[in-house]
């Protein structure tokens, strides 16, 4: 089996608990399966007995990516009550795109197949093993749909890709729900180019104060940020959504009861 990284990116007591429970209970150990966690509390995971588990603090990436500290830092708190109060008082929005740094960890272990999962999303490993098409493919969890790039503020991304990288985007592109995504790259270099452009686009959206155009009630979403990048770099989905790789169990009353 090709090596696979299963990645959780989480902060706050409830989300950390969901991720920890899955690491302990969901899958059996496998030499080819790696687990990456990016969080604000590394010690919370120190007793998890899981083969190939790598846990990093988001702050570990600040030196190379100082804009993350400025724009995308995690909200820190030890208790649910305090976390909820801070979340509401600061109008915090979880910076969903910080999960991009899992690609850096994947490169360190020469992994080209990377599943970026919400803590409410599981991947079916038996179905993953059956995949044949892994050349710059994206498999996603919930839904996908076409949209023209003149809508949903995607013109901001399209214009940046053209002006800075001289790469173009089709007028009508596929949008992929972000609850869970499996990226399968043909080369590490292609994966890292995707990371670099994604990171640059996110930084630019914050610097230009356009990031608010993509935020929801509790997170800075990225479906409409990433879709033009996928298209420009020829990262595409398969014609059919089978095999269904993911199971999503949205549980907002447990993970974000303050909303």
């Amino acid at each position: 089996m090709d090596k696979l990284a299963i990645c959780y990116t989480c902060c706050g007591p409830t989300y950390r608990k969901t991720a920890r429970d899955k690491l302990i209970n969901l899958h059996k150990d496998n030499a080819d399966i790696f687990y990456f966690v990016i969080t604000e509390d590394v010690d919370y995971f120190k007793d998890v007995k899981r083969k190939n588990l790598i846990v990093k603090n988001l702050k570990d990436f600040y030196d190379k990516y100082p804009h993350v500290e400025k724009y995308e830092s995690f909200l820190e708190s030890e208790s649910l009550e305090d976390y909820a109060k801070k979340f509401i008082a600061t109008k915090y929005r979880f910076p969903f795109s910080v999960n991009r740094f899992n690609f850096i960890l994947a490169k360190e272990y020469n992994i080209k197949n990377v599943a970026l999962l919400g803590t409410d999303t599981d991947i079916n490993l038996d179905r993953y093993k059956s995949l044949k098409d892994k050349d710059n493919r994206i498999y996603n969890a919930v839904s996908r749909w076409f949209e023209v790039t003149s809508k949903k503020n995607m013109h901001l991304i399209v214009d940046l890709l053209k002006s800075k990288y001289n790469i173009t985007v089709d007028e009508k592109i596929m949008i992929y729900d972000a609850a869970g995504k499996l990226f399968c790259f043909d080369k590490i270099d292609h994966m890292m180019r995707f990371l670099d452009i994604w990171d640059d686009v996110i930084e630019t959206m914050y610097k230009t104060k356009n990031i608010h155009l993509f935020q929801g009630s509790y997170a800075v979403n990225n479906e409409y940020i990433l879709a033009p990048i996928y298209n420009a770099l020829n990262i595409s989905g398969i014609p059919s959504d089978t095999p269904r790789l993911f199971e999503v169990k949205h549980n907002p009353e447990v993970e974000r009861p303050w909303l």
Side-chain angles (χ1 to χ4, degrees), residues 202-252:
I202 290 294
E203 182 182 7
T204 301
M205 290 302 103
Y206 275 101
K207 282 184 174 179
T208 57
K209 302 186 185 304
N210 285 317
I211 197 68
H212 74 279
L213 298 172
F214 301 96
Q215 72 180 29
S217 60
Y218 64 91
V220 179
N221 301 314
N222 59 23
E223 287 93 339
Y224 294 107
I225 292 174
L226 286 172
I229 305 175
Y230 298 152
N231 183 267
L233 296 182
N234 296 314
I235 302 169
S236 60
I238 57 174
S240 170
D241 62 356
T242 55
R244 297 294 298 219
L245 290 175
F246 305 95
E247 182 178 2
V248 182
K249 297 179 180 178
H250 291 308
N251 204 1

Side-chain angles (χ1 to χ4, degrees), residues 21 25 36 56 106 112 198 203 240-241 244 247 254-255:
D21 289 347
N25 300 311
F36 300 151
K56 295 288 186 180
K112 298 182 293 183
W198 182 1
E203 182 182 7
S240 170
D241 62 356
R244 297 294 298 219
E247 182 178 2
V254 172
E255 290 197 317

Side-chain angles (χ1 to χ4, degrees), residues 43-60:
D43 286 344
Y44 184 80
F45 297 89
K46 65 182 180 182
D47 296 326
V48 177
K49 306 301 180 184
R50 166 62 67 190
K51 188 179 181 69
N52 298 333
L53 172 62
I54 295 91
V55 183
K56 295 288 186 180
N57 194 306
L58 182 63
K59 294 177 181 178
D60 294 336

Side-chain angles (χ1 to χ4, degrees), residues 4-246:
L4 170 69
I6 297 176
C7 309
Y8 299 108
T9 307
C10 53
C11 71
T14 57
Y15 289 97
R16 278 191 275 107
K17 183 180 186 304
T18 304
R20 187 179 186 277
D21 289 347
K22 289 189 175 182
L23 288 169
I24 294 172
N25 300 311
L26 196 56
H27 300 299
K28 295 180 180 180
D29 278 339
N30 184 308
D32 294 318
I33 304 296
F34 288 71
Y35 298 89
F36 300 151
V37 178
I38 297 176
T39 184
E40 90 289 17
D41 187 354
V42 172
D43 286 344
Y44 184 80
F45 297 89
K46 65 182 180 182
D47 296 326
V48 177
K49 306 301 180 184
R50 166 62 67 190
K51 188 179 181 69
N52 298 333
L53 172 62
I54 295 91
V55 183
K56 295 288 186 180
N57 194 306
L58 182 63
K59 294 177 181 178
D60 294 336
F61 302 95
Y62 283 0
D63 285 347
K64 186 173 181 181
Y65 301 91
H67 53 278
V68 177
E69 180 178 11
K70 182 176 181 179
Y71 299 121
E72 299 176 277
S73 61
F74 280 158
L75 181 63
E76 298 187 20
S77 182
E78 294 183 359
S79 73
L80 172 58
E81 294 77 12
D82 184 60
Y83 185 85
K85 289 178 181 178
K86 289 179 178 177
F87 198 104
I88 295 169
T90 63
K91 298 182 180 179
Y92 186 69
R93 297 294 183 271
F94 180 76
F96 210 72
S97 279
V98 293
N99 61 2
R100 65 190 181 273
F101 296 113
N102 286 290
F103 290 120
I104 295 175
L105 305 180
K107 179 185 178 183
E108 292 178 6
Y109 293 89
N110 196 34
I111 299 173
K112 298 182 293 183
N113 304 301
V114 181
L116 302 184
L117 305 180
T119 53
D120 59 3
T121 303
D122 305 334
I123 184 169
N124 186 306
L125 292 181
D126 288 333
R127 292 177 182 172
Y128 166 75
K129 294 174 186 177
S130 72
L131 294 181
K132 303 298 182 184
D133 193 350
K134 294 181 180 177
D135 287 343
N136 300 320
R137 288 296 196 184
I138 177 174
Y139 296 84
N140 75 307
V142 178
S143 60
R144 57 188 182 176
W145 60 96
F146 279 107
E147 186 59 270
V148 293
T149 55
S150 59
K151 296 183 177 180
K152 304 297 183 180
N153 304 299
M154 286 191 287
H155 67 282
L156 297 169
I157 315 301
V158 172
D159 292 347
L160 177 60
L161 293 174
K162 179 61 177 178
S163 63
K164 189 163 186 178
Y165 296 96
N166 196 30
I167 50 180
T168 58
V169 179
D170 294 336
E171 182 179 352
K172 190 175 185 180
I173 63 177
M174 186 71 77
I175 314 298
Y176 298 90
D177 180 272
K181 302 185 292 291
L182 170 66
F183 295 92
C184 299
F185 290 96
D186 59 344
K187 298 177 181 178
I188 294 290
D189 287 349
H190 196 176
M191 180 175 75
M192 299 311 291
R193 185 177 186 229
F194 170 53
L195 165 67
D196 290 342
I197 292 176
W198 182 1
D199 180 71
D200 186 32
V201 168
I202 290 294
E203 182 182 7
T204 301
M205 290 302 103
Y206 275 101
K207 282 184 174 179
T208 57
K209 302 186 185 304
N210 285 317
I211 197 68
H212 74 279
L213 298 172
F214 301 96
Q215 72 180 29
S217 60
Y218 64 91
V220 179
N221 301 314
N222 59 23
E223 287 93 339
Y224 294 107
I225 292 174
L226 286 172
I229 305 175
Y230 298 152
N231 183 267
L233 296 182
N234 296 314
I235 302 169
S236 60
I238 57 174
S240 170
D241 62 356
T242 55
R244 297 294 298 219
L245 290 175
F246 305 95

